[in-house]
Amino acid sequence: MVLGQLGGSITRALQQMSNATIIDEKVVSECLNEISRALLQADVQFKMVRDMQANIKRIVNPDDLAAGHNKRRIMQKAVFDELCRILDPGKPSYTPKKGKTSIIMFVGLQGSGKTTTCTKYAHYHQKKGWKPALVCADTFRAGAFDQLKQNATKAKIPFYGSYMESDPVKIAAEGVERFKQENCDLIIVDTSGRHKQEAALFEEMRQVSEATKPDLVIFVMDSSIGQAAFDQAQAFKQSVSVGAVIVTKMDGHAKGGGALSAVAATKSPVIFIGTGEHMHEFEVFDVKPFVSRLLGMGDWSGFMDKIHEVVPTDQQPELLQKLSEGSFTMRLMYEQFQNMLKMGPIGQVFSMLPGFSSELMPKGHEKESQAKIKRYMTMMDSMTNDELDSTNPKLMNESRMLRIARGSGRSVREVVDMMEEFKRLAKIWSKMKGLKIPKKGDMSALSRNMNAQQMSKALPPQVLKQVGGMGGLQNLMKQMGNKDLGGMFGGER
Ligand SMILES: Nc1nc2c(ncn2[C@@H]2O[C@H](COP(=O)(O)OP(=O)(O)OP(=O)(O)O)[C@@H](O)[C@H]2O)c(=O)[nH]1
């Protein structure tokens, strides 16, 4: 996801600013210009960038920054708050209730990923015990019904559609009625698209909406549409009452900044993002952890969740223990690579760590990354046990590297690359040193009600320092809500 680069650019701009000897208005302006450039490159709408720049300038007072405060943190917080403000329209979207019928209508242009997203949305809820159903009211694209039927059958979700009927309004109304009678609690209506915004499409949306009376209209947007996002979202909002946004294809080379524009145009929150073509490649969207990750501030709660989700249960205690020790060895890297190859998404675990973009296994480049990881593992197969268990990369002198390259049939350059990767991962790993791992029975004690004082004692000193000491922690807890930080310790959510 190119959005990751935005985080990198902003972090660099902040770093440059805090390196300056005197922080005056000029330095702050330069930093803001740099951040604005990065946002524009990520396809955030020009007007929004300009407003954001003006807002930050108002909030951040260079005199404050000069007076020995942590300048980088003040600016980072201002950027964080502004991005959150844009992404959070201030009111939550309609939330369907399990057991009570809700009608959800999906709208979007052709190819935005609407049909795929309808099924993902149904599947997501079905896994949580809902009784979803899909209605195909797309009579415009030949093959749309077949696609929905195929997806629905695969996911074992009831569906309704017709090969004969050409009136989408009629199909939508019939389908909704049928599933109401069958007591489905989530009736999802997939609608037609067009290649571009057309009056006929908007009229059709208006009529389908009138006939089905949806509780929520979700606007589906392809994240790669760039600057067009604002106008497109606004055009849909003007014909039907869009209440939420789902941004698809966040896995590709999309710049993703359009998501911010879509929220601004519809005044509705992003509720999910699509991260691939498969059914499970669908994530709940949370503003604060998202922005936090974007700015390289790390997403601690997401990190621990991912460990629970991705790492096999029997390996979790050992992995957490090793994290708490902070010592990273070649053997540990080898084991993580094994998991990564077996399970695919473990790279996501690392991407949650501050400063670590999923460079090792970027989305969309899985094949190349897997081949690279396999090459690394072949090289590690040529290492001695001492080398594998050592935390000291200096053991690997030139002659050992030559020997490993020869033994594994790879070049010395590749061995050097692997060692660089090891050092990079070890550095990230070391940040978790001292992490307190609760014993089974202690979980509740570390739960969401923990106050900043208790939390500061539980946190490893490095982590506490990283969040800006006690003050920073209090702010972070305020920003994220205790439950998110509680989640970091495996507390019940
Ligand atoms: N990589 C990736 N591909 C996606 C994602 N969501 C959908 N797609 C792909 O995008 C293409 C278009 O998706 P559809 O679901 O057919 O699009 P649609 O908006 O329903 O199109 P119409 O029915 O013509 O309006 C398909 O090839 C999907 O597999 C995603 O999150 N990531």
Side-chain angles (χ1 to χ4, degrees), residues 243-278:
V245 179
I246 295 183
V247 185
T248 62
K249 308 184 195 178
M250 289 291 270
D251 48 309
H253 294 285
K255 295 179 177 171
L260 279 72
S261 311
V263 174
T266 58
K267 311 251 180 318
S268 311
V270 177
I271 51 172
F272 287 95
I273 54 172
T275 55
E277 298 195 27
H278 301 292

PDB file of all heavy atoms in Angstrom, residues 243-278:
ATOM      1  N   GLY A 243     -24.361   6.565   4.154  1.00  0.00           N
ATOM      2  CA  GLY A 243     -24.140   6.664   5.596  1.00  0.00           C
ATOM      3  C   GLY A 243     -22.798   6.085   6.020  1.00  0.00           C
ATOM      4  O   GLY A 243     -22.388   6.213   7.181  1.00  0.00           O
ATOM      5  N   ALA A 244     -22.132   5.391   5.087  1.00  0.00           N
ATOM      6  CA  ALA A 244     -20.828   4.804   5.417  1.00  0.00           C
ATOM      7  C   ALA A 244     -20.054   4.554   4.134  1.00  0.00           C
ATOM      8  O   ALA A 244     -20.631   4.524   3.046  1.00  0.00           O
ATOM      9  CB  ALA A 244     -21.010   3.491   6.171  1.00  0.00           C
ATOM     10  N   VAL A 245     -18.742   4.395   4.283  1.00  0.00           N
ATOM     11  CA  VAL A 245     -17.874   4.195   3.124  1.00  0.00           C
ATOM     12  C   VAL A 245     -17.053   2.927   3.334  1.00  0.00           C
ATOM     13  O   VAL A 245     -16.623   2.641   4.454  1.00  0.00           O
ATOM     14  CB  VAL A 245     -16.905   5.399   2.967  1.00  0.00           C
ATOM     15  CG1 VAL A 245     -15.961   5.205   1.788  1.00  0.00           C
ATOM     16  CG2 VAL A 245     -17.667   6.715   2.822  1.00  0.00           C
ATOM     17  N   ILE A 246     -16.875   2.157   2.249  1.00  0.00           N
ATOM     18  CA  ILE A 246     -15.899   1.055   2.295  1.00  0.00           C
ATOM     19  C   ILE A 246     -14.896   1.321   1.177  1.00  0.00           C
ATOM     20  O   ILE A 246     -15.285   1.582   0.038  1.00  0.00           O
ATOM     21  CB  ILE A 246     -16.562  -0.327   2.120  1.00  0.00           C
ATOM     22  CG1 ILE A 246     -17.499  -0.623   3.296  1.00  0.00           C
ATOM     23  CG2 ILE A 246     -15.494  -1.430   2.006  1.00  0.00           C
ATOM     24  CD1 ILE A 246     -18.167  -1.983   3.273  1.00  0.00           C
ATOM     25  N   VAL A 247     -13.638   1.318   1.523  1.00  0.00           N
ATOM     26  CA  VAL A 247     -12.596   1.583   0.529  1.00  0.00           C
ATOM     27  C   VAL A 247     -11.959   0.247   0.147  1.00  0.00           C
ATOM     28  O   VAL A 247     -11.499  -0.496   1.016  1.00  0.00           O
ATOM     29  CB  VAL A 247     -11.522   2.543   1.106  1.00  0.00           C
ATOM     30  CG1 VAL A 247     -10.517   2.908   0.031  1.00  0.00           C
ATOM     31  CG2 VAL A 247     -12.181   3.801   1.647  1.00  0.00           C
ATOM     32  N   THR A 248     -11.960  -0.051  -1.147  1.00  0.00           N
ATOM     33  CA  THR A 248     -11.432  -1.350  -1.589  1.00  0.00           C
ATOM     34  C   THR A 248     -10.037  -1.198  -2.189  1.00  0.00           C
ATOM     35  O   THR A 248      -9.571  -0.085  -2.451  1.00  0.00           O
ATOM     36  CB  THR A 248     -12.335  -1.966  -2.673  1.00  0.00           C
ATOM     37  OG1 THR A 248     -12.328  -1.091  -3.801  1.00  0.00           O
ATOM     38  CG2 THR A 248     -13.757  -2.150  -2.191  1.00  0.00           C
ATOM     39  N   LYS A 249      -9.420  -2.340  -2.398  1.00  0.00           N
ATOM     40  CA  LYS A 249      -8.118  -2.452  -3.087  1.00  0.00           C
ATOM     41  C   LYS A 249      -7.014  -1.665  -2.380  1.00  0.00           C
ATOM     42  O   LYS A 249      -6.155  -1.061  -3.019  1.00  0.00           O
ATOM     43  CB  LYS A 249      -8.248  -2.029  -4.560  1.00  0.00           C
ATOM     44  CG  LYS A 249      -9.394  -2.779  -5.260  1.00  0.00           C
ATOM     45  CD  LYS A 249      -9.522  -2.501  -6.717  1.00  0.00           C
ATOM     46  CE  LYS A 249     -10.879  -2.977  -7.207  1.00  0.00           C
ATOM     47  NZ  LYS A 249     -11.141  -2.732  -8.601  1.00  0.00           N
ATOM     48  N   MET A 250      -7.082  -1.658  -1.074  1.00  0.00           N
ATOM     49  CA  MET A 250      -6.028  -0.986  -0.302  1.00  0.00           C
ATOM     50  C   MET A 250      -4.744  -1.807  -0.325  1.00  0.00           C
ATOM     51  O   MET A 250      -3.732  -1.402   0.232  1.00  0.00           O
ATOM     52  CB  MET A 250      -6.475  -0.799   1.153  1.00  0.00           C
ATOM     53  CG  MET A 250      -7.551   0.225   1.333  1.00  0.00           C
ATOM     54  SD  MET A 250      -6.995   1.905   1.040  1.00  0.00           S
ATOM     55  CE  MET A 250      -6.465   2.367   2.683  1.00  0.00           C
ATOM     56  N   ASP A 251      -4.804  -2.983  -0.943  1.00  0.00           N
ATOM     57  CA  ASP A 251      -3.623  -3.838  -1.001  1.00  0.00           C
ATOM     58  C   ASP A 251      -2.722  -3.483  -2.182  1.00  0.00           C
ATOM     59  O   ASP A 251      -1.555  -3.779  -2.187  1.00  0.00           O
ATOM     60  CB  ASP A 251      -4.054  -5.298  -1.136  1.00  0.00           C
ATOM     61  CG  ASP A 251      -5.124  -5.472  -2.226  1.00  0.00           C
ATOM     62  OD1 ASP A 251      -6.120  -4.727  -2.180  1.00  0.00           O
ATOM     63  OD2 ASP A 251      -4.960  -6.324  -3.102  1.00  0.00           O
ATOM     64  N   GLY A 252      -3.274  -2.850  -3.210  1.00  0.00           N
ATOM     65  CA  GLY A 252      -2.515  -2.640  -4.441  1.00  0.00           C
ATOM     66  C   GLY A 252      -1.588  -1.453  -4.347  1.00  0.00           C
ATOM     67  O   GLY A 252      -1.079  -1.125  -3.269  1.00  0.00           O
ATOM     68  N   HIS A 253      -1.427  -0.767  -5.471  1.00  0.00           N
ATOM     69  CA  HIS A 253      -0.512   0.365  -5.474  1.00  0.00           C
ATOM     70  C   HIS A 253      -1.260   1.673  -5.236  1.00  0.00           C
ATOM     71  O   HIS A 253      -0.758   2.746  -5.506  1.00  0.00           O
ATOM     72  CB  HIS A 253       0.264   0.420  -6.792  1.00  0.00           C
ATOM     73  CG  HIS A 253       1.176  -0.754  -6.930  1.00  0.00           C
ATOM     74  ND1 HIS A 253       2.341  -0.867  -6.224  1.00  0.00           N
ATOM     75  CD2 HIS A 253       1.046  -1.903  -7.627  1.00  0.00           C
ATOM     76  CE1 HIS A 253       2.924  -2.023  -6.501  1.00  0.00           C
ATOM     77  NE2 HIS A 253       2.147  -2.674  -7.351  1.00  0.00           N
ATOM     78  N   ALA A 254      -2.487   1.537  -4.758  1.00  0.00           N
ATOM     79  CA  ALA A 254      -3.310   2.713  -4.546  1.00  0.00           C
ATOM     80  C   ALA A 254      -2.656   3.640  -3.544  1.00  0.00           C
ATOM     81  O   ALA A 254      -1.980   3.196  -2.621  1.00  0.00           O
ATOM     82  CB  ALA A 254      -4.659   2.288  -4.018  1.00  0.00           C
ATOM     83  N   LYS A 255      -2.880   4.926  -3.731  1.00  0.00           N
ATOM     84  CA  LYS A 255      -2.271   5.880  -2.809  1.00  0.00           C
ATOM     85  C   LYS A 255      -3.126   6.043  -1.565  1.00  0.00           C
ATOM     86  O   LYS A 255      -2.644   6.476  -0.533  1.00  0.00           O
ATOM     87  CB  LYS A 255      -2.047   7.199  -3.521  1.00  0.00           C
ATOM     88  CG  LYS A 255      -1.034   7.018  -4.642  1.00  0.00           C
ATOM     89  CD  LYS A 255      -0.803   8.291  -5.386  1.00  0.00           C
ATOM     90  CE  LYS A 255       0.267   8.077  -6.455  1.00  0.00           C
ATOM     91  NZ  LYS A 255       0.342   9.237  -7.318  1.00  0.00           N
ATOM     92  N   GLY A 256      -4.391   5.718  -1.675  1.00  0.00           N
ATOM     93  CA  GLY A 256      -5.227   5.623  -0.489  1.00  0.00           C
ATOM     94  C   GLY A 256      -5.710   6.938   0.094  1.00  0.00           C
ATOM     95  O   GLY A 256      -6.643   6.947   0.890  1.00  0.00           O
ATOM     96  N   GLY A 257      -5.090   8.043  -0.301  1.00  0.00           N
ATOM     97  CA  GLY A 257      -5.495   9.329   0.258  1.00  0.00           C
ATOM     98  C   GLY A 257      -6.931   9.680  -0.094  1.00  0.00           C
ATOM     99  O   GLY A 257      -7.569  10.495   0.573  1.00  0.00           O
ATOM    100  N   GLY A 258      -7.438   9.056  -1.159  1.00  0.00           N
ATOM    101  CA  GLY A 258      -8.822   9.278  -1.572  1.00  0.00           C
ATOM    102  C   GLY A 258      -9.810   8.940  -0.484  1.00  0.00           C
ATOM    103  O   GLY A 258     -10.912   9.513  -0.425  1.00  0.00           O
ATOM    104  N   ALA A 259      -9.420   8.031   0.393  1.00  0.00           N
ATOM    105  CA  ALA A 259     -10.308   7.636   1.492  1.00  0.00           C
ATOM    106  C   ALA A 259     -10.659   8.862   2.330  1.00  0.00           C
ATOM    107  O   ALA A 259     -11.806   9.051   2.745  1.00  0.00           O
ATOM    108  CB  ALA A 259      -9.628   6.595   2.364  1.00  0.00           C
ATOM    109  N   LEU A 260      -9.657   9.696   2.548  1.00  0.00           N
ATOM    110  CA  LEU A 260      -9.887  10.892   3.357  1.00  0.00           C
ATOM    111  C   LEU A 260     -10.887  11.806   2.654  1.00  0.00           C
ATOM    112  O   LEU A 260     -11.785  12.371   3.278  1.00  0.00           O
ATOM    113  CB  LEU A 260      -8.572  11.652   3.583  1.00  0.00           C
ATOM    114  CG  LEU A 260      -7.656  11.140   4.692  1.00  0.00           C
ATOM    115  CD1 LEU A 260      -7.001   9.839   4.315  1.00  0.00           C
ATOM    116  CD2 LEU A 260      -6.594  12.153   5.018  1.00  0.00           C
ATOM    117  N   SER A 261     -10.731  11.908   1.321  1.00  0.00           N
ATOM    118  CA  SER A 261     -11.628  12.768   0.553  1.00  0.00           C
ATOM    119  C   SER A 261     -13.052  12.233   0.587  1.00  0.00           C
ATOM    120  O   SER A 261     -14.013  13.008   0.690  1.00  0.00           O
ATOM    121  CB  SER A 261     -11.171  12.856  -0.895  1.00  0.00           C
ATOM    122  OG  SER A 261      -9.817  13.155  -0.962  1.00  0.00           O
ATOM    123  N   ALA A 262     -13.195  10.910   0.484  1.00  0.00           N
ATOM    124  CA  ALA A 262     -14.535  10.317   0.465  1.00  0.00           C
ATOM    125  C   ALA A 262     -15.266  10.598   1.772  1.00  0.00           C
ATOM    126  O   ALA A 262     -16.457  10.887   1.790  1.00  0.00           O
ATOM    127  CB  ALA A 262     -14.443   8.818   0.223  1.00  0.00           C
ATOM    128  N   VAL A 263     -14.537  10.537   2.875  1.00  0.00           N
ATOM    129  CA  VAL A 263     -15.156  10.814   4.174  1.00  0.00           C
ATOM    130  C   VAL A 263     -15.606  12.268   4.228  1.00  0.00           C
ATOM    131  O   VAL A 263     -16.729  12.576   4.631  1.00  0.00           O
ATOM    132  CB  VAL A 263     -14.174  10.517   5.338  1.00  0.00           C
ATOM    133  CG1 VAL A 263     -14.757  10.941   6.664  1.00  0.00           C
ATOM    134  CG2 VAL A 263     -13.824   9.050   5.360  1.00  0.00           C
ATOM    135  N   ALA A 264     -14.713  13.146   3.744  1.00  0.00           N
ATOM    136  CA  ALA A 264     -15.053  14.569   3.780  1.00  0.00           C
ATOM    137  C   ALA A 264     -16.270  14.851   2.899  1.00  0.00           C
ATOM    138  O   ALA A 264     -17.132  15.649   3.259  1.00  0.00           O
ATOM    139  CB  ALA A 264     -13.862  15.391   3.314  1.00  0.00           C
ATOM    140  N   ALA A 265     -16.359  14.175   1.748  1.00  0.00           N
ATOM    141  CA  ALA A 265     -17.458  14.446   0.817  1.00  0.00           C
ATOM    142  C   ALA A 265     -18.783  13.885   1.312  1.00  0.00           C
ATOM    143  O   ALA A 265     -19.834  14.479   1.085  1.00  0.00           O
ATOM    144  CB  ALA A 265     -17.137  13.854  -0.549  1.00  0.00           C
ATOM    145  N   THR A 266     -18.749  12.754   1.978  1.00  0.00           N
ATOM    146  CA  THR A 266     -20.012  12.115   2.384  1.00  0.00           C
ATOM    147  C   THR A 266     -20.348  12.395   3.847  1.00  0.00           C
ATOM    148  O   THR A 266     -21.450  12.077   4.297  1.00  0.00           O
ATOM    149  CB  THR A 266     -19.935  10.581   2.204  1.00  0.00           C
ATOM    150  OG1 THR A 266     -18.845  10.097   2.988  1.00  0.00           O
ATOM    151  CG2 THR A 266     -19.746  10.187   0.753  1.00  0.00           C
ATOM    152  N   LYS A 267     -19.397  12.925   4.585  1.00  0.00           N
ATOM    153  CA  LYS A 267     -19.541  13.139   6.037  1.00  0.00           C
ATOM    154  C   LYS A 267     -19.915  11.815   6.715  1.00  0.00           C
ATOM    155  O   LYS A 267     -20.672  11.783   7.686  1.00  0.00           O
ATOM    156  CB  LYS A 267     -20.607  14.205   6.353  1.00  0.00           C
ATOM    157  CG  LYS A 267     -20.466  15.481   5.565  1.00  0.00           C
ATOM    158  CD  LYS A 267     -19.987  16.615   6.448  1.00  0.00           C
ATOM    159  CE  LYS A 267     -19.806  17.930   5.754  1.00  0.00           C
ATOM    160  NZ  LYS A 267     -19.206  17.979   4.443  1.00  0.00           N
ATOM    161  N   SER A 268     -19.422  10.735   6.149  1.00  0.00           N
ATOM    162  CA  SER A 268     -19.710   9.409   6.686  1.00  0.00           C
ATOM    163  C   SER A 268     -18.404   8.668   6.916  1.00  0.00           C
ATOM    164  O   SER A 268     -17.446   8.856   6.177  1.00  0.00           O
ATOM    165  CB  SER A 268     -20.533   8.590   5.687  1.00  0.00           C
ATOM    166  OG  SER A 268     -21.605   9.353   5.238  1.00  0.00           O
ATOM    167  N   PRO A 269     -18.374   7.817   7.925  1.00  0.00           N
ATOM    168  CA  PRO A 269     -17.107   7.159   8.245  1.00  0.00           C
ATOM    169  C   PRO A 269     -16.766   5.997   7.314  1.00  0.00           C
ATOM    170  O   PRO A 269     -17.655   5.365   6.750  1.00  0.00           O
ATOM    171  CB  PRO A 269     -17.365   6.612   9.657  1.00  0.00           C
ATOM    172  CG  PRO A 269     -18.839   6.398   9.718  1.00  0.00           C
ATOM    173  CD  PRO A 269     -19.456   7.466   8.853  1.00  0.00           C
ATOM    174  N   VAL A 270     -15.480   5.733   7.175  1.00  0.00           N
ATOM    175  CA  VAL A 270     -15.045   4.489   6.524  1.00  0.00           C
ATOM    176  C   VAL A 270     -15.272   3.397   7.571  1.00  0.00           C
ATOM    177  O   VAL A 270     -14.858   3.547   8.720  1.00  0.00           O
ATOM    178  CB  VAL A 270     -13.539   4.544   6.158  1.00  0.00           C
ATOM    179  CG1 VAL A 270     -13.086   3.228   5.549  1.00  0.00           C
ATOM    180  CG2 VAL A 270     -13.261   5.686   5.200  1.00  0.00           C
ATOM    181  N   ILE A 271     -15.954   2.328   7.194  1.00  0.00           N
ATOM    182  CA  ILE A 271     -16.206   1.287   8.202  1.00  0.00           C
ATOM    183  C   ILE A 271     -15.367   0.029   7.984  1.00  0.00           C
ATOM    184  O   ILE A 271     -15.031  -0.662   8.929  1.00  0.00           O
ATOM    185  CB  ILE A 271     -17.714   0.932   8.320  1.00  0.00           C
ATOM    186  CG1 ILE A 271     -18.325   0.632   6.953  1.00  0.00           C
ATOM    187  CG2 ILE A 271     -18.479   2.047   9.031  1.00  0.00           C
ATOM    188  CD1 ILE A 271     -19.762   0.100   7.046  1.00  0.00           C
ATOM    189  N   PHE A 272     -15.043  -0.256   6.740  1.00  0.00           N
ATOM    190  CA  PHE A 272     -14.180  -1.404   6.446  1.00  0.00           C
ATOM    191  C   PHE A 272     -13.239  -1.012   5.310  1.00  0.00           C
ATOM    192  O   PHE A 272     -13.524  -0.078   4.557  1.00  0.00           O
ATOM    193  CB  PHE A 272     -15.002  -2.603   5.946  1.00  0.00           C
ATOM    194  CG  PHE A 272     -15.816  -3.292   7.007  1.00  0.00           C
ATOM    195  CD1 PHE A 272     -17.158  -2.958   7.204  1.00  0.00           C
ATOM    196  CD2 PHE A 272     -15.265  -4.296   7.784  1.00  0.00           C
ATOM    197  CE1 PHE A 272     -17.916  -3.592   8.172  1.00  0.00           C
ATOM    198  CE2 PHE A 272     -16.023  -4.945   8.751  1.00  0.00           C
ATOM    199  CZ  PHE A 272     -17.356  -4.592   8.944  1.00  0.00           C
ATOM    200  N   ILE A 273     -12.149  -1.763   5.176  1.00  0.00           N
ATOM    201  CA  ILE A 273     -11.334  -1.619   3.968  1.00  0.00           C
ATOM    202  C   ILE A 273     -11.142  -3.008   3.357  1.00  0.00           C
ATOM    203  O   ILE A 273     -11.072  -4.014   4.075  1.00  0.00           O
ATOM    204  CB  ILE A 273      -9.963  -0.944   4.226  1.00  0.00           C
ATOM    205  CG1 ILE A 273      -9.178  -1.669   5.330  1.00  0.00           C
ATOM    206  CG2 ILE A 273     -10.106   0.516   4.556  1.00  0.00           C
ATOM    207  CD1 ILE A 273      -7.744  -1.163   5.476  1.00  0.00           C
ATOM    208  N   GLY A 274     -11.072  -3.040   2.037  1.00  0.00           N
ATOM    209  CA  GLY A 274     -10.807  -4.292   1.330  1.00  0.00           C
ATOM    210  C   GLY A 274      -9.321  -4.375   1.056  1.00  0.00           C
ATOM    211  O   GLY A 274      -8.714  -3.432   0.565  1.00  0.00           O
ATOM    212  N   THR A 275      -8.739  -5.520   1.415  1.00  0.00           N
ATOM    213  CA  THR A 275      -7.288  -5.642   1.256  1.00  0.00           C
ATOM    214  C   THR A 275      -6.895  -6.807   0.349  1.00  0.00           C
ATOM    215  O   THR A 275      -5.799  -7.338   0.463  1.00  0.00           O
ATOM    216  CB  THR A 275      -6.613  -5.805   2.636  1.00  0.00           C
ATOM    217  OG1 THR A 275      -7.237  -6.931   3.285  1.00  0.00           O
ATOM    218  CG2 THR A 275      -6.760  -4.584   3.498  1.00  0.00           C
ATOM    219  N   GLY A 276      -7.797  -7.228  -0.525  1.00  0.00           N
ATOM    220  CA  GLY A 276      -7.472  -8.314  -1.450  1.00  0.00           C
ATOM    221  C   GLY A 276      -8.741  -8.862  -2.079  1.00  0.00           C
ATOM    222  O   GLY A 276      -9.849  -8.463  -1.719  1.00  0.00           O
ATOM    223  N   GLU A 277      -8.544  -9.791  -3.020  1.00  0.00           N
ATOM    224  CA  GLU A 277      -9.709 -10.313  -3.731  1.00  0.00           C
ATOM    225  C   GLU A 277     -10.443 -11.376  -2.929  1.00  0.00           C
ATOM    226  O   GLU A 277     -11.592 -11.702  -3.221  1.00  0.00           O
ATOM    227  CB  GLU A 277      -9.257 -10.906  -5.076  1.00  0.00           C
ATOM    228  CG  GLU A 277      -8.635  -9.874  -5.980  1.00  0.00           C
ATOM    229  CD  GLU A 277      -8.524 -10.343  -7.413  1.00  0.00           C
ATOM    230  OE1 GLU A 277      -9.322 -11.188  -7.855  1.00  0.00           O
ATOM    231  OE2 GLU A 277      -7.614  -9.869  -8.100  1.00  0.00           O
ATOM    232  N   HIS A 278      -9.770 -11.951  -1.932  1.00  0.00           N
ATOM    233  CA  HIS A 278     -10.394 -13.061  -1.220  1.00  0.00           C
ATOM    234  C   HIS A 278     -11.359 -12.587  -0.141  1.00  0.00           C
ATOM    235  O   HIS A 278     -11.233 -11.493   0.385  1.00  0.00           O
ATOM    236  CB  HIS A 278      -9.325 -13.969  -0.613  1.00  0.00           C
ATOM    237  CG  HIS A 278      -8.414 -14.528  -1.663  1.00  0.00           C
ATOM    238  ND1 HIS A 278      -8.848 -15.430  -2.597  1.00  0.00           N
ATOM    239  CD2 HIS A 278      -7.125 -14.257  -1.959  1.00  0.00           C
ATOM    240  CE1 HIS A 278      -7.854 -15.708  -3.424  1.00  0.00           C
ATOM    241  NE2 HIS A 278      -6.796 -15.008  -3.053  1.00  0.00           N
TER     242      HIS A 278
END
